[in-house]
mmCIF file of all heavy atoms in Angstrom:
data_model
loop_
_atom_site.group_PDB
_atom_site.id
_atom_site.type_symbol
_atom_site.label_atom_id
_atom_site.label_comp_id
_atom_site.label_asym_id
_atom_site.label_seq_id
_atom_site.Cartn_x
_atom_site.Cartn_y
_atom_site.Cartn_z
ATOM 1 N N PRO A 1 -92.248 67.678 -66.198
ATOM 2 C CA PRO A 1 -92.922 68.797 -65.523
ATOM 3 C C PRO A 1 -91.975 69.601 -64.581
ATOM 4 O O PRO A 1 -92.260 70.772 -64.376
ATOM 5 C CB PRO A 1 -94.010 68.116 -64.702
ATOM 6 C CG PRO A 1 -94.242 66.835 -65.349
ATOM 7 C CD PRO A 1 -92.946 66.437 -65.940
ATOM 8 N N ALA A 2 -90.891 68.964 -64.155
ATOM 9 C CA ALA A 2 -89.942 69.697 -63.237
ATOM 10 C C ALA A 2 -88.804 70.337 -63.972
ATOM 11 O O ALA A 2 -88.046 71.064 -63.364
ATOM 12 C CB ALA A 2 -89.384 68.715 -62.231
ATOM 13 N N ALA A 3 -88.768 70.210 -65.250
ATOM 14 C CA ALA A 3 -87.703 70.835 -66.038
ATOM 15 C C ALA A 3 -87.689 72.318 -65.955
ATOM 16 O O ALA A 3 -88.794 72.981 -65.929
ATOM 17 C CB ALA A 3 -87.821 70.399 -67.526
ATOM 18 N N ARG A 4 -86.550 72.893 -65.896
ATOM 19 C CA ARG A 4 -86.355 74.362 -65.803
ATOM 20 C C ARG A 4 -86.186 74.984 -67.239
ATOM 21 O O ARG A 4 -85.972 76.192 -67.333
ATOM 22 C CB ARG A 4 -85.185 74.733 -64.948
ATOM 23 C CG ARG A 4 -85.362 74.297 -63.502
ATOM 24 C CD ARG A 4 -86.451 75.074 -62.713
ATOM 25 N NE ARG A 4 -86.063 76.534 -62.771
ATOM 26 C CZ ARG A 4 -86.924 77.540 -62.842
ATOM 27 N NH1 ARG A 4 -88.251 77.247 -62.935
ATOM 28 N NH2 ARG A 4 -86.560 78.751 -62.902
ATOM 29 N N THR A 5 -86.061 74.086 -68.249
ATOM 30 C CA THR A 5 -85.915 74.585 -69.554
ATOM 31 C C THR A 5 -86.862 73.912 -70.441
ATOM 32 O O THR A 5 -87.441 72.839 -70.184
ATOM 33 C CB THR A 5 -84.469 74.236 -70.115
ATOM 34 O OG1 THR A 5 -84.304 72.796 -70.051
ATOM 35 C CG2 THR A 5 -83.383 74.887 -69.279
ATOM 36 N N GLY A 6 -87.067 74.536 -71.675
ATOM 37 C CA GLY A 6 -87.934 73.934 -72.699
ATOM 38 C C GLY A 6 -87.479 74.442 -74.003
ATOM 39 O O GLY A 6 -86.491 75.197 -74.123
ATOM 40 N N ALA A 7 -88.151 73.985 -75.079
ATOM 41 C CA ALA A 7 -87.714 74.341 -76.418
ATOM 42 C C ALA A 7 -89.024 74.540 -77.268
ATOM 43 O O ALA A 7 -89.991 73.913 -77.035
ATOM 44 C CB ALA A 7 -86.768 73.373 -77.037
ATOM 45 N N ILE A 8 -88.850 75.389 -78.253
ATOM 46 C CA ILE A 8 -89.909 75.571 -79.236
ATOM 47 C C ILE A 8 -89.326 75.321 -80.645
ATOM 48 O O ILE A 8 -88.257 75.729 -80.987
ATOM 49 C CB ILE A 8 -90.401 77.063 -79.200
ATOM 50 C CG1 ILE A 8 -91.034 77.364 -77.825
ATOM 51 C CG2 ILE A 8 -91.419 77.292 -80.300
ATOM 52 C CD1 ILE A 8 -91.471 78.746 -77.626
ATOM 53 N N PHE A 9 -90.178 74.595 -81.379
ATOM 54 C CA PHE A 9 -89.791 74.174 -82.716
ATOM 55 C C PHE A 9 -90.886 74.629 -83.671
ATOM 56 O O PHE A 9 -92.041 74.747 -83.317
ATOM 57 C CB PHE A 9 -89.680 72.612 -82.791
ATOM 58 C CG PHE A 9 -88.850 72.090 -81.646
ATOM 59 C CD1 PHE A 9 -89.417 71.512 -80.552
ATOM 60 C CD2 PHE A 9 -87.517 72.133 -81.693
ATOM 61 C CE1 PHE A 9 -88.664 71.070 -79.516
ATOM 62 C CE2 PHE A 9 -86.690 71.712 -80.645
ATOM 63 C CZ PHE A 9 -87.356 71.142 -79.568
ATOM 64 N N MET A 10 -90.465 74.829 -84.985
ATOM 65 C CA MET A 10 -91.409 75.409 -86.004
ATOM 66 C C MET A 10 -90.773 75.408 -87.337
ATOM 67 O O MET A 10 -89.614 75.164 -87.488
ATOM 68 C CB MET A 10 -91.860 76.776 -85.597
ATOM 69 C CG MET A 10 -90.743 77.817 -85.672
ATOM 70 S SD MET A 10 -91.097 79.359 -84.886
ATOM 71 C CE MET A 10 -90.793 79.063 -83.209
ATOM 72 N N VAL A 11 -91.577 75.762 -88.303
ATOM 73 C CA VAL A 11 -91.068 75.979 -89.749
ATOM 74 C C VAL A 11 -91.301 77.444 -90.011
ATOM 75 O O VAL A 11 -92.415 77.956 -89.841
ATOM 76 C CB VAL A 11 -91.800 75.088 -90.706
ATOM 77 C CG1 VAL A 11 -91.293 75.470 -92.123
ATOM 78 C CG2 VAL A 11 -91.599 73.587 -90.426
ATOM 79 N N LEU A 12 -90.234 78.114 -90.383
ATOM 80 C CA LEU A 12 -90.336 79.564 -90.760
ATOM 81 C C LEU A 12 -90.255 79.597 -92.308
ATOM 82 O O LEU A 12 -89.291 79.207 -92.918
ATOM 83 C CB LEU A 12 -89.102 80.318 -90.197
ATOM 84 C CG LEU A 12 -89.011 80.288 -88.669
ATOM 85 C CD1 LEU A 12 -87.661 80.952 -88.269
ATOM 86 C CD2 LEU A 12 -90.171 80.939 -87.988
ATOM 87 N N ASP A 13 -91.337 80.074 -92.939
ATOM 88 C CA ASP A 13 -91.607 80.091 -94.361
ATOM 89 C C ASP A 13 -91.607 81.552 -94.838
ATOM 90 O O ASP A 13 -92.387 82.297 -94.434
ATOM 91 C CB ASP A 13 -92.893 79.341 -94.659
ATOM 92 C CG ASP A 13 -92.966 78.876 -96.086
ATOM 93 O OD1 ASP A 13 -92.065 79.118 -96.874
ATOM 94 O OD2 ASP A 13 -94.017 78.280 -96.368
ATOM 95 N N ASN A 14 -90.663 81.851 -95.699
ATOM 96 C CA ASN A 14 -90.443 83.215 -96.192
ATOM 97 C C ASN A 14 -91.116 83.306 -97.589
ATOM 98 O O ASN A 14 -90.660 82.727 -98.543
ATOM 99 C CB ASN A 14 -88.996 83.526 -96.274
ATOM 100 C CG ASN A 14 -88.687 84.933 -96.747
ATOM 101 O OD1 ASN A 14 -89.569 85.721 -97.119
ATOM 102 N ND2 ASN A 14 -87.435 85.373 -96.617
ATOM 103 N N HIS A 15 -92.162 84.115 -97.584
ATOM 104 C CA HIS A 15 -92.965 84.280 -98.888
ATOM 105 C C HIS A 15 -92.534 85.583 -99.605
ATOM 106 O O HIS A 15 -93.361 86.034 -100.422
ATOM 107 C CB HIS A 15 -94.484 84.308 -98.584
ATOM 108 C CG HIS A 15 -94.975 82.965 -98.186
ATOM 109 N ND1 HIS A 15 -95.471 82.103 -99.039
ATOM 110 C CD2 HIS A 15 -95.059 82.368 -96.929
ATOM 111 C CE1 HIS A 15 -95.881 80.952 -98.354
ATOM 112 N NE2 HIS A 15 -95.590 81.112 -97.080
ATOM 113 N N THR A 16 -91.426 86.116 -99.291
ATOM 114 C CA THR A 16 -91.016 87.404 -99.894
ATOM 115 C C THR A 16 -89.885 87.138 -100.934
ATOM 116 O O THR A 16 -89.331 86.070 -100.946
ATOM 117 C CB THR A 16 -90.536 88.416 -98.863
ATOM 118 O OG1 THR A 16 -89.301 87.968 -98.296
ATOM 119 C CG2 THR A 16 -91.567 88.535 -97.702
ATOM 120 N N HIS A 17 -89.534 88.206 -101.565
ATOM 121 C CA HIS A 17 -88.411 88.214 -102.589
ATOM 122 C C HIS A 17 -87.087 88.492 -101.957
ATOM 123 O O HIS A 17 -86.117 88.568 -102.699
ATOM 124 C CB HIS A 17 -88.724 89.178 -103.679
ATOM 125 C CG HIS A 17 -89.953 88.842 -104.500
ATOM 126 N ND1 HIS A 17 -90.054 87.779 -105.289
ATOM 127 C CD2 HIS A 17 -91.115 89.530 -104.620
ATOM 128 C CE1 HIS A 17 -91.198 87.725 -105.826
ATOM 129 N NE2 HIS A 17 -91.904 88.813 -105.411
ATOM 130 N N ALA A 18 -87.041 88.621 -100.670
ATOM 131 C CA ALA A 18 -85.811 89.006 -99.971
ATOM 132 C C ALA A 18 -85.463 88.026 -98.831
ATOM 133 O O ALA A 18 -86.387 87.542 -98.121
ATOM 134 C CB ALA A 18 -85.879 90.415 -99.415
ATOM 135 N N ASP A 19 -84.247 87.749 -98.632
ATOM 136 C CA ASP A 19 -83.819 86.925 -97.534
ATOM 137 C C ASP A 19 -84.199 87.638 -96.235
ATOM 138 O O ASP A 19 -84.210 88.908 -96.185
ATOM 139 C CB ASP A 19 -82.316 86.668 -97.543
ATOM 140 C CG ASP A 19 -81.816 85.846 -98.725
ATOM 141 O OD1 ASP A 19 -82.640 85.219 -99.381
ATOM 142 O OD2 ASP A 19 -80.627 85.844 -98.946
ATOM 143 N N ASP A 20 -84.444 86.914 -95.166
ATOM 144 C CA ASP A 20 -84.753 87.511 -93.840
ATOM 145 C C ASP A 20 -84.034 86.685 -92.890
ATOM 146 O O ASP A 20 -83.308 85.716 -93.201
ATOM 147 C CB ASP A 20 -86.217 87.547 -93.564
ATOM 148 C CG ASP A 20 -86.617 88.680 -92.632
ATOM 149 O OD1 ASP A 20 -85.788 89.138 -91.796
ATOM 150 O OD2 ASP A 20 -87.725 89.096 -92.618
ATOM 151 N N ARG A 21 -84.168 87.030 -91.579
ATOM 152 C CA ARG A 21 -83.427 86.352 -90.571
ATOM 153 C C ARG A 21 -84.197 86.431 -89.197
ATOM 154 O O ARG A 21 -84.632 87.548 -88.853
ATOM 155 C CB ARG A 21 -82.025 86.974 -90.418
ATOM 156 C CG ARG A 21 -81.139 86.465 -89.309
ATOM 157 C CD ARG A 21 -79.721 87.059 -89.465
ATOM 158 N NE ARG A 21 -79.075 86.587 -90.648
ATOM 159 C CZ ARG A 21 -78.403 85.441 -90.731
ATOM 160 N NH1 ARG A 21 -78.292 84.626 -89.677
ATOM 161 N NH2 ARG A 21 -77.764 85.100 -91.842
ATOM 162 N N LEU A 22 -84.369 85.332 -88.538
ATOM 163 C CA LEU A 22 -84.853 85.385 -87.180
ATOM 164 C C LEU A 22 -83.744 85.772 -86.222
ATOM 165 O O LEU A 22 -82.720 85.032 -86.190
ATOM 166 C CB LEU A 22 -85.462 84.043 -86.772
ATOM 167 C CG LEU A 22 -85.941 83.894 -85.243
ATOM 168 C CD1 LEU A 22 -87.159 84.796 -85.002
ATOM 169 C CD2 LEU A 22 -86.314 82.422 -84.965
ATOM 170 N N ILE A 23 -83.831 86.859 -85.604
ATOM 171 C CA ILE A 23 -82.683 87.417 -84.843
ATOM 172 C C ILE A 23 -82.878 87.345 -83.350
ATOM 173 O O ILE A 23 -81.930 87.514 -82.609
ATOM 174 C CB ILE A 23 -82.305 88.839 -85.276
ATOM 175 C CG1 ILE A 23 -83.554 89.812 -85.118
ATOM 176 C CG2 ILE A 23 -81.807 88.865 -86.709
ATOM 177 C CD1 ILE A 23 -83.172 91.240 -85.356
ATOM 178 N N ALA A 24 -84.123 87.173 -82.874
ATOM 179 C CA ALA A 24 -84.302 87.131 -81.423
ATOM 180 C C ALA A 24 -85.708 86.538 -81.111
ATOM 181 O O ALA A 24 -86.558 86.550 -81.980
ATOM 182 C CB ALA A 24 -84.255 88.498 -80.754
ATOM 183 N N ALA A 25 -85.908 86.162 -79.907
ATOM 184 C CA ALA A 25 -87.205 85.663 -79.379
ATOM 185 C C ALA A 25 -87.345 86.070 -77.895
ATOM 186 O O ALA A 25 -86.351 86.076 -77.186
ATOM 187 C CB ALA A 25 -87.345 84.163 -79.567
ATOM 188 N N THR A 26 -88.517 86.294 -77.539
ATOM 189 C CA THR A 26 -88.784 86.656 -76.075
ATOM 190 C C THR A 26 -90.086 85.924 -75.680
ATOM 191 O O THR A 26 -90.930 85.586 -76.534
ATOM 192 C CB THR A 26 -88.949 88.102 -75.771
ATOM 193 O OG1 THR A 26 -90.021 88.626 -76.643
ATOM 194 C CG2 THR A 26 -87.650 88.903 -76.140
ATOM 195 N N SER A 27 -90.221 85.643 -74.384
ATOM 196 C CA SER A 27 -91.459 85.024 -73.845
ATOM 197 C C SER A 27 -91.474 85.251 -72.362
ATOM 198 O O SER A 27 -90.461 85.189 -71.693
ATOM 199 C CB SER A 27 -91.475 83.527 -74.164
ATOM 200 O OG SER A 27 -92.629 82.912 -73.568
ATOM 201 N N GLU A 28 -92.686 85.503 -71.879
ATOM 202 C CA GLU A 28 -92.869 85.640 -70.457
ATOM 203 C C GLU A 28 -92.827 84.249 -69.772
ATOM 204 O O GLU A 28 -92.809 84.227 -68.582
ATOM 205 C CB GLU A 28 -94.167 86.382 -70.104
ATOM 206 C CG GLU A 28 -94.137 87.837 -70.516
ATOM 207 C CD GLU A 28 -95.380 88.591 -70.120
ATOM 208 O OE1 GLU A 28 -96.237 88.065 -69.346
ATOM 209 O OE2 GLU A 28 -95.543 89.693 -70.586
ATOM 210 N N ALA A 29 -92.778 83.149 -70.521
ATOM 211 C CA ALA A 29 -92.743 81.815 -70.016
ATOM 212 C C ALA A 29 -91.363 81.459 -69.487
ATOM 213 O O ALA A 29 -91.196 80.473 -68.812
ATOM 214 C CB ALA A 29 -93.130 80.841 -71.046
ATOM 215 N N ALA A 30 -90.329 82.320 -69.764
ATOM 216 C CA ALA A 30 -88.981 81.966 -69.312
ATOM 217 C C ALA A 30 -88.179 83.245 -68.973
ATOM 218 O O ALA A 30 -88.490 84.328 -69.515
ATOM 219 C CB ALA A 30 -88.247 81.263 -70.403
ATOM 220 N N ALA A 31 -87.265 83.054 -68.097
ATOM 221 C CA ALA A 31 -86.396 84.182 -67.658
ATOM 222 C C ALA A 31 -85.556 84.608 -68.822
ATOM 223 O O ALA A 31 -85.221 85.830 -68.960
ATOM 224 C CB ALA A 31 -85.563 83.799 -66.505
ATOM 225 N N ARG A 32 -85.082 83.691 -69.603
ATOM 226 C CA ARG A 32 -84.256 84.023 -70.713
ATOM 227 C C ARG A 32 -84.654 83.144 -71.945
ATOM 228 O O ARG A 32 -84.922 81.962 -71.810
ATOM 229 C CB ARG A 32 -82.820 83.701 -70.383
ATOM 230 C CG ARG A 32 -81.757 84.344 -71.317
ATOM 231 C CD ARG A 32 -80.419 84.364 -70.740
ATOM 232 N NE ARG A 32 -79.775 83.095 -70.887
ATOM 233 C CZ ARG A 32 -78.887 82.571 -69.979
ATOM 234 N NH1 ARG A 32 -78.606 83.177 -68.918
ATOM 235 N NH2 ARG A 32 -78.429 81.380 -70.161
ATOM 236 N N VAL A 33 -84.686 83.738 -73.152
ATOM 237 C CA VAL A 33 -84.952 83.021 -74.391
ATOM 238 C C VAL A 33 -83.817 83.249 -75.383
ATOM 239 O O VAL A 33 -83.447 84.394 -75.588
ATOM 240 C CB VAL A 33 -86.255 83.499 -74.990
ATOM 241 C CG1 VAL A 33 -86.587 82.715 -76.252
ATOM 242 C CG2 VAL A 33 -87.441 83.377 -73.958
ATOM 243 N N GLU A 34 -83.273 82.173 -75.936
ATOM 244 C CA GLU A 34 -82.197 82.277 -76.869
ATOM 245 C C GLU A 34 -82.490 81.413 -78.071
ATOM 246 O O GLU A 34 -83.209 80.454 -78.034
ATOM 247 C CB GLU A 34 -80.858 81.818 -76.194
ATOM 248 C CG GLU A 34 -80.426 82.634 -75.060
ATOM 249 C CD GLU A 34 -79.148 82.168 -74.389
ATOM 250 O OE1 GLU A 34 -78.660 81.013 -74.748
ATOM 251 O OE2 GLU A 34 -78.650 82.820 -73.545
ATOM 252 N N LEU A 35 -81.813 81.705 -79.149
ATOM 253 C CA LEU A 35 -81.792 80.914 -80.352
ATOM 254 C C LEU A 35 -80.657 79.973 -80.301
ATOM 255 O O LEU A 35 -79.504 80.369 -80.184
ATOM 256 C CB LEU A 35 -81.676 81.883 -81.632
ATOM 257 C CG LEU A 35 -82.769 82.902 -81.743
ATOM 258 C CD1 LEU A 35 -82.522 83.727 -82.984
ATOM 259 C CD2 LEU A 35 -84.181 82.335 -81.695
ATOM 260 N N HIS A 36 -80.918 78.662 -80.355
ATOM 261 C CA HIS A 36 -79.877 77.652 -80.211
ATOM 262 C C HIS A 36 -79.812 76.620 -81.324
ATOM 263 O O HIS A 36 -80.784 76.565 -82.135
ATOM 264 C CB HIS A 36 -80.222 76.803 -78.881
ATOM 265 C CG HIS A 36 -79.817 77.423 -77.619
ATOM 266 N ND1 HIS A 36 -79.581 76.633 -76.501
ATOM 267 C CD2 HIS A 36 -79.533 78.728 -77.301
ATOM 268 C CE1 HIS A 36 -79.172 77.515 -75.511
ATOM 269 N NE2 HIS A 36 -79.190 78.699 -75.982
ATOM 270 N N THR A 37 -78.689 76.021 -81.376
ATOM 271 C CA THR A 37 -78.516 74.882 -82.364
ATOM 272 C C THR A 37 -77.611 73.835 -81.703
ATOM 273 O O THR A 37 -77.092 73.979 -80.557
ATOM 274 C CB THR A 37 -77.919 75.334 -83.658
ATOM 275 O OG1 THR A 37 -78.075 74.336 -84.664
ATOM 276 C CG2 THR A 37 -76.424 75.720 -83.532
ATOM 277 N N HIS A 38 -77.499 72.732 -82.347
ATOM 278 C CA HIS A 38 -76.641 71.651 -81.959
ATOM 279 C C HIS A 38 -75.501 71.485 -83.029
ATOM 280 O O HIS A 38 -75.808 71.553 -84.290
ATOM 281 C CB HIS A 38 -77.350 70.275 -81.875
ATOM 282 C CG HIS A 38 -78.270 70.120 -80.768
ATOM 283 N ND1 HIS A 38 -79.651 70.467 -80.842
ATOM 284 C CD2 HIS A 38 -78.070 69.736 -79.540
ATOM 285 C CE1 HIS A 38 -80.185 70.253 -79.642
ATOM 286 N NE2 HIS A 38 -79.243 69.768 -78.824
ATOM 287 N N THR A 39 -74.282 71.347 -82.573
ATOM 288 C CA THR A 39 -73.192 71.081 -83.536
ATOM 289 C C THR A 39 -72.355 69.950 -82.986
ATOM 290 O O THR A 39 -72.225 69.725 -81.783
ATOM 291 C CB THR A 39 -72.342 72.300 -83.779
ATOM 292 O OG1 THR A 39 -71.861 72.815 -82.529
ATOM 293 C CG2 THR A 39 -73.047 73.397 -84.529
ATOM 294 N N ASP A 40 -71.702 69.214 -83.937
ATOM 295 C CA ASP A 40 -70.790 68.076 -83.575
ATOM 296 C C ASP A 40 -69.516 68.733 -83.197
ATOM 297 O O ASP A 40 -68.949 69.504 -83.910
ATOM 298 C CB ASP A 40 -70.750 67.144 -84.772
ATOM 299 C CG ASP A 40 -69.957 65.894 -84.423
ATOM 300 O OD1 ASP A 40 -69.037 65.937 -83.612
ATOM 301 O OD2 ASP A 40 -70.324 64.905 -84.996
ATOM 302 N N ASP A 41 -68.972 68.316 -82.014
ATOM 303 C CA ASP A 41 -67.656 68.879 -81.540
ATOM 304 C C ASP A 41 -66.479 68.184 -82.247
ATOM 305 O O ASP A 41 -65.358 68.504 -81.888
ATOM 306 C CB ASP A 41 -67.600 68.745 -80.052
ATOM 307 C CG ASP A 41 -67.317 67.327 -79.502
ATOM 308 O OD1 ASP A 41 -67.367 66.388 -80.332
ATOM 309 O OD2 ASP A 41 -67.121 67.177 -78.332
ATOM 310 N N GLY A 42 -66.774 67.328 -83.213
ATOM 311 C CA GLY A 42 -65.653 66.668 -83.949
ATOM 312 C C GLY A 42 -65.381 65.298 -83.326
ATOM 313 O O GLY A 42 -64.668 64.533 -83.965
ATOM 314 N N ASN A 43 -65.928 65.011 -82.155
ATOM 315 C CA ASN A 43 -65.627 63.745 -81.562
ATOM 316 C C ASN A 43 -66.994 62.946 -81.443
ATOM 317 O O ASN A 43 -67.085 62.056 -80.595
ATOM 318 C CB ASN A 43 -65.088 63.950 -80.089
ATOM 319 C CG ASN A 43 -63.710 64.555 -80.174
ATOM 320 O OD1 ASN A 43 -62.893 64.160 -80.896
ATOM 321 N ND2 ASN A 43 -63.543 65.597 -79.318
ATOM 322 N N GLY A 44 -67.993 63.347 -82.214
ATOM 323 C CA GLY A 44 -69.195 62.652 -82.170
ATOM 324 C C GLY A 44 -70.135 63.056 -81.066
ATOM 325 O O GLY A 44 -71.209 62.514 -80.903
ATOM 326 N N VAL A 45 -69.744 64.086 -80.300
ATOM 327 C CA VAL A 45 -70.604 64.582 -79.210
ATOM 328 C C VAL A 45 -71.331 65.845 -79.740
ATOM 329 O O VAL A 45 -70.668 66.794 -80.210
ATOM 330 C CB VAL A 45 -69.751 64.853 -77.951
ATOM 331 C CG1 VAL A 45 -70.670 65.529 -76.920
ATOM 332 C CG2 VAL A 45 -69.103 63.666 -77.467
ATOM 333 N N MET A 46 -72.676 65.906 -79.594
ATOM 334 C CA MET A 46 -73.428 67.051 -79.971
ATOM 335 C C MET A 46 -73.454 68.059 -78.877
ATOM 336 O O MET A 46 -73.747 67.673 -77.719
ATOM 337 C CB MET A 46 -74.876 66.650 -80.394
ATOM 338 C CG MET A 46 -74.878 65.737 -81.569
ATOM 339 S SD MET A 46 -74.146 66.320 -83.074
ATOM 340 C CE MET A 46 -75.238 67.642 -83.537
#
């Protein structure tokens, strides 16, 4: 409850004949909203 950050997860399903892309997100629930991922730095640290 005291966290200053949160995350949203979902499945994006494209029913069209063309590729698309999620390029941004906004919400009044946070000062800033970004699209994030995790990657391995090569040393086993995400």
Side-chain angles (χ1 to χ4, degrees):
R4 297 289 303 142
T5 61
I8 298 175
F9 311 100
M10 67 191 80
V11 177
L12 302 171
D13 200 357
N14 185 349
H15 291 269
T16 72
H17 297 294
D19 294 346
D20 206 338
R21 178 173 291 278
L22 175 64
I23 56 173
T26 59
S27 177
E28 291 184 11
R32 197 165 77 213
V33 181
E34 296 178 355
L35 304 178
H36 277 204
T37 196
H38 287 91
T39 54
D40 189 324
D41 72 355
N43 297 314
V45 176
M46 297 303 290

